[in-house]
Amino acid sequence: MIGEEPSPNVGPKTPKRRIGVVGVGRMGTGMGISLLRSQVELHIKANKNCAGADRLTDAGAREHSSIAELAQYVSAVVLSLPSSREVETVCLGEDGLFAHMPRGGLIIDCTTSYPASTIALAEQAHKCGLSFIDAPVTRSPEQAEFGLLNAIVGSSDTLFPVAEGILAAFCESVFHVGDVGQGHKLKLVYNSMTMGIAAVAAEVCQFANSLDIDLVTLRSLVSRGSTNSGIFQAFVAFLLGEKPDALAISIANAAKDIECAVRLAEESSVSVPVLAGCCRQVKCRGFPGKSRTDATSFVSPVDSLTYRDAR
């Protein structure tokens, strides 16, 4: 109460936990903002684009010039990188995390990586006295900034609570789905399903337009049935001009993810002809020289279509 003397038994404040983030693109920046809000001491290694790093350093993060330097200051590192190739580069080699992190350190890979690479890195990390787990995330960079991502964790039962304590800063839900590698397997299944539905939704919208079917009417019908999906709603919202940024998903990342999923299926002797066809379609939409680099390319040529609803 006001006026009372402070208790003599109150100890010093607990030191902030030191966490690193490598890869501060849009998603990594959102994660970093949420981590800072949870009162960690944040250390970053920037991407080529400095915008995210500038936001984070302005908010209190410490930027490092190399992975080797960052590694010496942290007990855990969150990776948010384009692919397994970049994850391997950051972890391995003379200047990598494996060579410079203190023993007992934890590396959490939130990248959508290839499972075989993840498992191999976990084995190598163990030899270096470190732990490497997978925790790919779903949802958007904006939701990362508000702590609303979903993490899909592949780890031992022992490490999961430790990882969960870090991931909870930027995740609304944290799912433990099995051992190392299982998180990335599930994420590839999830992403391939997402892009498969996206391809069908785009074609259906163009098909409806060619038949003079009003998109608002189509949306109203679909919204009332089991066919409805967030992806379909995003395409319609984009085509009607309601949400111009609804399809701001990198087509290059989408192509990488679904190609990895098809490869994983082939290695598992599972036939996925529909996903393979979608993979070819996504890669075709994303070849160099295309004017659109996000999911709007699925509805190309948008400019040649006239959507009466958008008038």
Side-chain angles (χ1 to χ4, degrees):
M1 294 178 62
I2 297 174
E4 287 187 351
E5 292 294 324
S7 169
N9 295 321
V10 175
K13 291 183 178 180
T14 304
K16 290 184 178 180
R17 186 167 189 186
R18 296 178 174 183
I19 307 293
V21 174
V22 177
V24 287
R26 292 180 64 226
M27 185 66 82
T29 298
M31 293 174 175
I33 293 293
S34 287
L35 283 164
L36 285 168
R37 192 168 55 243
S38 71
Q39 301 300 305
V40 306
E41 182 180 304
L42 187 66
H43 296 255
I44 63 171
K45 171 65 174 70
N47 285 3
K48 294 178 181 178
N49 186 332
C50 298
D54 290 344
R55 278 195 68 195
L56 292 171
T57 53
D58 287 347
R62 178 175 175 181
E63 185 176 3
H64 296 274
S65 60
S66 69
I67 297 295
E69 180 183 295
L70 176 147
Q72 298 173 46
Y73 287 89
V74 298
S75 59
V77 175
V78 175
L79 306 181
S80 180
L81 297 164
S83 71
S84 292
R85 181 181 295 106
E86 289 79 10
V87 173
E88 291 170 1
T89 299
V90 164
C91 290
L92 304 174
E94 293 182 0
D95 297 321
L97 292 174
F98 289 1
H100 294 277
M101 274 190 81
R103 292 179 67 86
L106 173 64
I107 301 168
I108 304 174
D109 184 16
C110 293
T111 310
T112 301
S113 297
Y114 199 69
S117 173
T118 301
I119 294 168
L121 286 171
E123 293 172 350
Q124 185 63 34
H126 181 72
K127 295 177 183 177
C128 299
L130 304 170
S131 297
F132 182 98
I133 67 171
D134 47 321
V137 294
T138 67
R139 294 187 170 175
S140 69
E142 291 74 23
Q143 288 166 314
E145 191 165 330
F146 290 102
L148 298 175
L149 297 181
N150 299 315
I152 310 166
V153 181
S155 75
S156 67
D157 291 337
T158 302
L159 281 175
F160 176 70
V162 180
E164 185 179 27
I166 297 170
L167 294 165
F170 52 85
C171 292
E172 180 179 44
S173 303
V174 182
F175 301 97
H176 187 204
V177 298
D179 292 332
V180 172
Q182 289 300 116
H184 281 143
K185 289 177 183 178
L186 179 52
K187 180 65 189 302
L188 289 178
V189 170
Y190 176 91
N191 279 12
S192 61
M193 181 177 180
T194 299
M195 297 316 299
I197 295 171
V200 171
E203 289 188 359
V204 164
C205 287
Q206 294 182 91
F207 182 35
N209 182 75
S210 72
L211 298 175
D212 294 328
I213 293 173
D214 181 87
L215 284 185
V216 173
T217 302
L218 175 63
R219 177 169 63 183
S220 179
L221 176 63
V222 172
S223 297
R224 288 165 170 75
S226 58
T227 306
N228 190 30
S229 74
I231 298 168
F232 169 80
Q233 295 291 340
F235 270 100
V236 174
F238 168 78
L239 292 170
L240 296 179
E242 297 169 352
K243 294 182 179 180
D245 298 326
L247 303 180
I249 305 166
S250 165
I251 203 70
N253 283 344
K256 180 265 294 182
D257 291 350
I258 196 167
E259 187 172 20
C260 283
V262 171
R263 174 184 164 195
L264 182 61
E266 290 173 349
E267 291 176 356
S268 304
S269 301
V270 177
S271 176
V272 287
V274 174
L275 287 181
C278 181
C279 180
R280 290 190 294 272
Q281 177 76 348
V282 174
K283 290 174 70 175
C284 176
R285 296 291 183 181
F287 66 79
K290 277 283 185 181
S291 60
R292 294 182 177 89
T293 58
D294 57 23
T296 60
S297 64
F298 271 125
V299 288
S300 178
V302 172
D303 296 337
S304 69
L305 297 175
T306 303
Y307 289 90
R308 286 162 301 286
D309 317 277
R311 289 177 181 172

